């Protein structure tokens, strides 16, 4: 069992799905998730599994502390997600989730660029089916745009990988050099998956269009796999600091403007991933530890928030804040557990968000990056505004819309309860998390009086600002324009222009060929008649005077051709002349 690839467990579970029926299938998935957690635990740092294929050295698994962090949280989150989906009967979603999570694990444990790319693309395709499974026009449109943007990112990565291998002769996945153009292509491909601006709108477009379970699963893997690749391949690239800080602020602005509760959470993913990318850009041991720890905690509390929103959607069938309110009366447990996730993402002391996000902010302070420090602090306050207060306030409180749905099913509450426990546990006692980080943390503690007081002051100010500005923050049923407007409108214009140009050329070519064929057909019909007419003119079988005109004689010859009553001499002469012409052409 030692050093068994955890992705293999999930792929095997996908193969076994037809064998199990009903609830036993869900129990099998749950067992597969738990077994995958154990497999990650059993992996020994330094272990490598490699093979040779077509002259290329492929390393399917190369274990170290960095990818084990992601392996742990990927499998733990998968197991709890299977609890949340314990009543799911849609085989398509189960298959897509297994291949999606399995390929994400394959990507983070990959030791070479070819293996990374293959799992990267499987992940993109499998996740698309979690969006399409909702079977709504919005889901089909979002899924189409999702797969297109990810295919673009994949092609950028593939181009970079090919150039890298051609230049270096090595497939090893290691730190990239900024002096090589191939590194920049790979970086663009990774940033697409990380939802970095200007590619970020695919996330807020597609995740809210997915199914209830699909949204929970999607929220954890694609962006965090991209963060892992950035931490391993691009540590210390200063441009990532700029990209990350921009994402942290950009996500807040659109989350505050948004009316749909799942789109609010989608934008907060962009915001939180911005923190992690900033950590990758700083590149110090503290920053890398902070980014990895924040990815771990983010997956936990973000899944909790998506489960809370998913439970509301499943019970009410509505997702817009303007259609919700007053749900605390009949869904108190969903509110309570979701509130813990909201406090965690806000970085309230005592929750996991505080013990992980603070590491990145401290890393910025250690490097005297004052402007980075200020932006991240402002972004932290913004997170509390949109995810910590706005989401629970407008969904569970605000104006009572008279909705009285039942509480979420027990399996959903158990799943949310497990994640809420982890949010608090890692917030109160972060040592288990710190012990698995890539670099030693020593006797580091985040609970310093000055840090705690400053964080509480920041959150208190944010809460005060929210309620003072509440009339301005009330949402209306409107749409906030995003950068996807350009490719949505531009895509339609491009499609129409391409349609007109290409189909116009096609129509013109078809008409030209048609006319040529018709002309050839007419010529082919007239040539024998003309030949016979000329032969008769010079033969002994001279037609009468009244039949000498070509139209009259043409009709007569055509009738003779149809009846097969042509004079033998004329036919022979025509054949001989025809053969002479053919021979002349050949010579």
């Amino acid at each position: 069992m030692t050093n068994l690839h955890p992705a293999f467990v999930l792929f095997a579970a996908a193969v076994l799905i037809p064998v199990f029926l009903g609830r036993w299938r869900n129990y099998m998935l749950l067992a597969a998730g738990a077994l995958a957690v154990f497999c990650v635990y059993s992996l020994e740092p330094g272990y490598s599994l490699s093979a040779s294929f077509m002259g290329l050295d492929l390393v399917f698994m190369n274990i170290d502390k960095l990818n084990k962090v992601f392996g742990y949280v990927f499998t733990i989150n998968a197991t709890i997600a299977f609890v949340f989906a314990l009543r799911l009967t849609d085989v398509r979603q189960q298959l897509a989730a297994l291949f999606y999570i399995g390929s994400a694990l394959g990507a983070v444990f990959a030791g070479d660029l070819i293996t990374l790319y293959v799992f990267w693309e499987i992940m993109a395709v499998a996740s698309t089916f979690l969006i399409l499974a909702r079977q709504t026009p919005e889901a089909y449109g979002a899924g189409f745009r999702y797969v297109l943007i990810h295919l673009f990112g994949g092609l950028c990565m593939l181009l970079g990988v090919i150039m890298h291998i051609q230049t270096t002769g090595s497939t090893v996945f290691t730190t990239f050099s900024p002096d090589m153009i191939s590194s920049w292509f790979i970086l663009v491909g990774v940033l697409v998956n990380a939802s970095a601006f200007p590619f970020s709108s695919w996330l807020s477009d597609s995740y809210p269009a997915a199914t209830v379970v699909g949204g929970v699963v999607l929220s954890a893997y694609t962006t965090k796999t991209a963060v892992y690749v950035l931490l391993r391949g691009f540590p210390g690239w200063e441009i990532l600091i700029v990209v990350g800080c921009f994402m942290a602020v950009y996500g807040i602005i659109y989350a505050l403007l948004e009316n749909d509760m799942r789109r609010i959470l989608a934008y907060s993913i962009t915001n939180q991933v911005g923190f992690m990318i900033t950590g990758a850009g700083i590149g110090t041991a503290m920053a890398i530890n902070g980014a990895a720890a924040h990815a771990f905690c983010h997956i936990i509390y973000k899944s909790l928030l998506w489960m809370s929103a998913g439970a509301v959607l499943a019970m009410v069938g509505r997702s817009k804040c303007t259609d919700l309110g007053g749900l605390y009366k009949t869904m108190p447990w969903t509110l309570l557990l979701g509130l813990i996730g909201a406090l965690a993402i806000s970085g309230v002391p005592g929750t996991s968000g505080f013990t992980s996000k603070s590491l990145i902010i401290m890393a910025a302070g250690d490097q005297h990056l004052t402007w980075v420090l200020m932006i991240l602090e402002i972004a932290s306050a913004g997170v509390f505004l949109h995810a910590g207060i706005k989401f629970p306030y407008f969904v569970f409180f605000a104006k009572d819309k008279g909705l009285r749905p039942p509480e979420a099913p027990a399996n959903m509450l158990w799943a949310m309860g497990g994640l809420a426990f982890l949010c608090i546990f890692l917030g109160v006692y972060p040592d288990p998390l710190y012990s698995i980080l890539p670099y030693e943390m020593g006797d580091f503690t985040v609970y310093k009086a000055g840090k705690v007081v400053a964080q509480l002051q920041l959150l208190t100010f944010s809460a005060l600002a929210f309620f003072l500005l509440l009339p301005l923050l009330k949402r209306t049923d409107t749409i906030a324009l995003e950068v996807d407007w350009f490719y949505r409108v531009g895509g339609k214009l491009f499609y129409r222009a391409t349609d007109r140009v290409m189909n116009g050329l096609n129509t013109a070519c078809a008409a030209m060929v048609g006319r040529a064929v018709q002309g050839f057909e007419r010529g082919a019909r007239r040539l024998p008649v003309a030949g016979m007419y000329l032969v008769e003119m010079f033969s002994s079988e001279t037609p009468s005077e009244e039949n000498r005109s070509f139209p009259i004689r043409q009709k007569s010859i055509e009738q003779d051709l149809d009846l097969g009553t042509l004079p033998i001499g004329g036919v022979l002469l025509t054949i001989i002349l025809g053969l002479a012409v053919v021979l002349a052409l050949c010579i």
Side-chain angles (χ1 to χ4, degrees):
M1 185 63 70
T2 302
N3 293 327
L4 176 64
H5 201 309
F8 173 78
V9 176
L10 299 181
F11 291 149
V15 174
L16 290 174
I17 273 187
V19 179
F20 292 87
L21 299 175
R23 66 176 60 181
W24 291 106
R25 180 187 298 143
N26 298 86
Y27 294 149
M28 185 271 290
L29 298 183
L30 188 56
L35 181 58
V37 177
F38 177 73
C39 288
V40 174
Y41 172 76
S42 303
L43 293 174
E44 300 172 0
Y47 175 77
S48 180
L49 176 64
S50 60
S52 181
F53 178 72
M54 298 179 66
L56 298 173
D57 296 325
L58 304 182
V59 184
F60 301 111
M61 200 162 52
N62 189 26
I63 308 304
D64 62 12
K65 294 190 72 174
L66 178 59
N67 53 26
K68 275 197 76 169
V69 174
F70 286 84
Y72 272 125
V73 71
F74 279 10
T75 50
I76 290 171
N77 186 72
T79 305
I80 298 178
F82 289 141
V83 174
F84 183 79
L86 209 54
R87 299 187 182 189
L88 182 68
T89 58
D90 188 349
V91 176
R92 294 167 302 177
Q93 292 188 60
Q94 293 169 333
L95 279 171
L98 287 169
F99 278 107
Y100 176 46
I101 300 168
S103 55
L105 286 165
V108 299
F109 286 120
D112 70 278
L113 295 174
I114 302 295
T115 305
L116 171 68
Y117 174 74
V118 170
F119 281 116
W120 192 270
E121 291 299 279
I122 296 174
M123 190 170 60
V125 174
S127 55
T128 304
F129 287 96
L130 288 172
I131 302 166
L132 299 177
R134 197 173 179 186
Q135 297 182 313
T136 62
E138 292 77 14
Y140 291 136
F144 179 70
R145 293 186 291 273
Y146 175 87
V147 77
L148 282 183
I149 195 75
H150 281 277
L151 286 177
F152 166 74
L155 287 174
C156 290
M157 172 179 273
L158 178 61
L159 179 60
V161 168
I162 292 173
M163 293 172 66
H164 179 86
I165 295 174
Q166 287 289 333
T167 305
T168 64
S170 173
T171 61
V172 176
F173 177 23
T174 183
T175 304
F176 297 106
S177 168
D179 297 329
M180 296 173 63
I181 188 66
S182 59
S183 304
W184 291 92
F185 278 108
I186 296 174
L187 178 62
V188 171
V190 177
L191 289 178
V192 169
N193 273 27
S195 81
F197 185 85
F199 311 110
S200 56
S201 56
W202 64 262
L203 199 156
S204 56
D205 179 34
S206 58
Y207 285 9
T211 61
V212 169
V213 173
V216 172
V217 176
L218 287 167
S219 68
Y221 298 98
T222 299
T223 51
K224 262 59 77 184
T225 304
V227 167
Y228 163 77
V229 175
L230 292 175
L231 292 177
R232 178 169 296 284
F234 303 89
W237 282 45
E238 292 184 356
I239 190 172
L240 293 179
I241 298 176
V242 179
V243 173
C245 288
F246 189 87
M247 289 173 64
V249 176
Y250 166 85
I252 291 173
I253 294 172
Y254 274 94
L256 288 172
L257 293 173
E258 192 50 58
N259 182 36
D260 187 293
M261 64 176 176
R262 297 211 302 174
R263 285 177 66 88
I264 292 173
L265 298 180
Y267 278 116
S268 72
I269 292 177
T270 300
N271 159 263
Q272 294 293 291
V273 171
F275 280 84
M276 302 169 210
I277 292 180
T278 303
I282 296 172
T284 61
M286 174 66 86
I288 299 296
N289 274 352
H294 199 47
F296 190 104
C297 295
H298 170 77
I299 288 176
I300 299 296
Y301 59 65
K302 184 58 68 179
S303 289
L304 174 56
L305 288 169
W306 276 86
M307 286 181 182
S308 175
V312 170
L313 180 62
M315 294 296 106
V316 182
R318 301 178 185 181
S319 186
K320 293 182 178 179
C321 293
T322 47
D323 297 334
L324 298 169
L327 296 180
Y328 72 93
K329 294 179 180 178
T330 56
M331 301 183 73
W333 284 107
T334 303
L335 163 65
L336 176 63
L337 297 171
L339 202 57
I340 292 173
L343 295 176
I345 195 174
S346 304
V348 174
T351 65
S352 57
F354 177 73
T355 55
S356 61
K357 191 187 306 179
S358 299
L359 300 184
I360 301 174
I361 296 175
M362 288 180 176
D366 292 342
Q367 297 302 306
H368 307 294
L369 298 170
T370 307
W371 66 273
V372 177
L373 183 68
M374 293 180 65
I375 289 176
L376 295 183
E377 292 287 9
I378 292 170
S380 296
V383 173
F384 190 47
L385 273 179
H386 74 258
I389 304 178
K390 178 185 173 181
F391 167 69
Y393 178 79
F394 284 111
V395 173
F396 294 98
F397 299 101
K399 186 177 180 181
D400 190 350
K401 297 295 192 300
L403 302 171
R404 296 295 181 266
E407 182 56 277
N411 62 297
M412 290 186 177
L413 293 177
W414 277 111
M416 287 188 279
L419 293 176
F421 167 77
L422 288 174
C423 287
I424 296 175
F425 176 75
L426 295 176
V428 175
Y429 183 59
D431 290 356
L433 173 62
Y434 291 167
S435 68
I436 63 172
L437 294 178
Y439 298 98
E440 294 296 328
M441 295 289 287
D443 56 352
F444 172 83
T445 178
V446 72
Y447 282 102
K448 298 175 181 176
K451 176 64 181 172
V452 173
V453 171
Q455 185 71 5
L456 289 175
Q457 286 178 335
L458 186 72
L459 298 175
T460 303
F461 174 78
S462 299
L464 181 63
F466 176 83
F467 288 105
L468 289 176
L469 301 174
L470 187 57
L472 299 176
L473 293 173
K474 286 182 179 178
R475 300 312 316 141
T476 56
D477 191 10
T478 54
I479 298 174
L481 287 179
E482 245 267 44
V483 289
D484 62 340
W485 181 86
F486 291 100
Y487 63 75
R488 285 183 187 235
V489 176
K492 289 180 180 178
L493 293 175
F494 177 76
Y495 174 80
R496 290 174 183 172
T498 306
D499 176 56
R500 291 189 178 184
V501 171
M502 300 307 293
N503 284 328
L505 286 174
N506 184 42
T507 304
C509 289
M512 187 182 303
V513 172
R515 284 194 291 272
V517 170
Q518 289 175 356
F520 179 77
E521 186 266 344
R522 286 194 296 270
R525 286 179 60 83
R526 291 178 178 176
L527 186 62
V529 177
M532 291 299 298
Y533 178 77
L534 291 174
V535 169
E536 287 185 357
M537 289 288 293
F538 297 101
S539 68
S540 58
E541 301 171 2
T542 305
S544 58
E545 191 64 32
E546 62 271 16
N547 290 340
R548 276 185 177 276
S549 68
F550 181 74
I552 296 174
R553 191 58 198 148
Q554 178 187 10
K555 186 175 181 182
S556 174
I557 292 173
E558 288 177 350
Q559 290 175 350
D560 291 342
L561 285 171
D562 293 339
L563 296 173
T565 58
L566 292 169
I568 295 175
V571 172
L572 287 174
L573 186 57
T574 304
I575 293 173
I576 291 170
L577 289 174
L579 289 174
V581 171
V582 171
L583 287 173
L585 292 174
C586 293
I587 292 171

